[in-house]
């Protein structure tokens, strides 16, 4: 079985994703900028210190997994910039 890698896994949706993936038996790896006590408490592999906006972060993350198989990458880290639901365009034209 290959790895399931989740970014932004220290809190929020990412943290819940890694918790549920672990419970389902996945070989899950949490990638994050800052660790959290809750994440560390899950007992899964954590790779921290990666600000994904910094050039070179993704190649550095790639090197962490050399020789390993990644089945699934969930690129969850980020900041939602939607001001309100009124700014969403739902008309498909
Ligand atoms: N919650 C919603 O209703 C909603 C709606 C639409 C889309 N989303 C998207 O779903 C994802 C998770 O949402 P959430 O509610 O769980 O957000 P959240 O609680 O604000 O968590 C954001 C996560 O992204 C990480 N992150 C942000 N910028 C980063 C960077 N430059 N480098 C590395 N990590 C970075 C944060 O790390 P730090 O702890 O180090 O800051 C944190 O782990 C985000 O991409 C968000 O845009 C969420």
């Amino acid at each position: 079985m290959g790895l399931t890698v989740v970014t932004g896994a220290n809190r929020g949706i990412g943290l819940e994703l890694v918790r549920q993936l672990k419970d389902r038996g996945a070989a899950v790896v949490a990638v994050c900028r800052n660790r959290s006590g809750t994440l560390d408490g899950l007992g899964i592999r954590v790779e921290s210190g990666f600000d994904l906006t910094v050039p070179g972060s993704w190649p550095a993350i790639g090197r962490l997994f050399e020789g390993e198989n990644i089945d699934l990458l969930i690129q969850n880290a980020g900041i939602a910039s939607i001001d309100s639901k009124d700014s969403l365009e739902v008309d498909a034209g």
Side-chain angles (χ1 to χ4, degrees), residues 7-15 31-35 50-54 57 75-82:
T7 66
N10 57 313
R11 61 188 171 96
I13 293 169
L15 176 62
V31 173
C32 54
R33 180 165 51 186
N34 302 297
R35 306 179 82 99
F50 295 101
D51 183 330
L52 300 181
T53 63
V54 172
S57 287
Q75 204 324 62
N76 160 80
I79 300 170
S81 60
I82 300 167

Side-chain angles (χ1 to χ4, degrees), residues 79-89:
I79 300 170
S81 60
I82 300 167
D83 294 330
S84 79
K85 66 179 182 350
D86 296 330
S87 67
L88 293 172
E89 292 185 22

